[in-house]
Amino acid sequence: MTLPHPERPTYGPQIQRVADRLGGSLYPWQRYWTGLATEQIPDGLGGWEPAYDTVIVLVQRRGGKTFMVKSVSTERALRGKSRIAYTAQTRDE
């Protein structure tokens, strides 16, 4: 498990606001992971880039994955010029 870096900016609060607008609320574990997964680091050109290229979250069945992905994807789409990919596998893959 990766620990959060409080000094890094994150899109976590924006994702929570989108989740609220979508008619739900993120669970505490979802707020933790969306904040951590969207941490930003300086890109060396005066801007920001994602701290993590790939984020993997393993959650049990009916644990809230779909709403979390919906909230993150919607927030990213609202930012514009985003590429969004979603995959799903069985637990054996």
Side-chain angles (χ1 to χ4, degrees):
M1 181 171 115
T2 302
L3 297 175
H5 298 84
E7 72 282 0
R8 290 180 177 171
T10 178
Y11 286 102
Q14 292 92 319
I15 294 168
Q16 177 61 53
R17 284 194 293 278
V18 168
D20 293 341
R21 296 288 305 268
L22 290 172
S25 183
L26 297 176
Y27 296 126
W29 74 266
Q30 292 169 315
R31 286 193 298 273
Y32 175 86
W33 281 107
T34 55
L36 177 66
T38 61
E39 286 182 351
Q40 303 292 299
I41 56 174
D43 65 3
L45 302 172
W48 298 91
E49 65 183 3
Y52 307 104
D53 293 329
T54 303
V55 176
I56 299 171
V57 180
L58 302 174
V59 181
Q60 75 277 8
R61 188 173 183 275
R62 299 187 53 85
K65 297 178 295 289
T66 300
F67 187 70
M68 182 176 69
V69 169
K70 180 180 178 179
S71 299
V72 171
S73 298
T74 302
E75 190 278 330
R76 287 191 68 181
L78 291 171
R79 275 191 267 149
K81 294 187 180 182
S82 294
R83 287 190 223 167
I84 301 166
Y86 177 81
T87 65
Q89 294 81 30
T90 67
R91 69 182 149 162
D92 297 328
E93 296 180 38

